[in-house]
Amino acid sequence: MHVDVKLSPEGDLYEALIDGRHAGQLEFVRRDGVIVYTHTEVEDEFGGKGVGGSLVRTALDAARAEGVQVVPRCPFVRQWIDRHPDYADLVKDA
């Protein structure tokens, strides 16, 4: 199953699509030169299929490419980063 992740036209969330259907989203705000990840949601029917991880990886890869740090306020994003320490350098020190 392929998860297609795209930045919304408004630029305030990443949306995951599977076969053209909304599967989940990761919401964020930009504040003081960092990206704050506030909420991740995956539709029940797509739970456990890697949608959340695809959203987080895409968002963090974009942050790295942009050269900005992140604040993972969303517990899912925080836990994902903890399990993937190669992304820990993106987290802004508290």
Side-chain angles (χ1 to χ4, degrees):
M1 171 182 329
H2 174 72
V3 181
D4 186 27
V5 179
K6 297 185 181 202
L7 182 62
S8 71
E10 296 81 15
D12 60 351
L13 62 85
Y14 284 93
E15 180 180 23
L17 302 169
I18 296 177
D19 296 328
R21 296 177 51 214
H22 177 81
Q25 64 189 40
L26 188 156
E27 301 167 11
F28 65 91
V29 295
R30 291 177 179 271
R31 185 174 301 140
D32 300 324
V34 300
I35 298 173
V36 181
Y37 298 114
T38 57
H39 181 69
T40 305
E41 184 174 322
V42 174
E43 298 299 324
D44 289 342
E45 67 183 287
F46 298 110
K49 297 183 176 164
V51 173
S54 293
L55 284 162
V56 175
R57 185 180 305 276
T58 299
L60 292 174
D61 286 346
R64 186 181 305 283
E66 191 178 326
V68 297
Q69 290 190 296
V70 303
V71 176
R73 291 262 165 84
C74 170
F76 181 83
V77 175
R78 161 78 354 213
Q79 292 167 3
W80 193 94
I81 293 170
D82 288 346
R83 289 191 317 273
H84 300 86
D86 48 320
Y87 287 90
D89 62 304
L90 292 173
V91 177
K92 181 172 175 54
D93 295 328

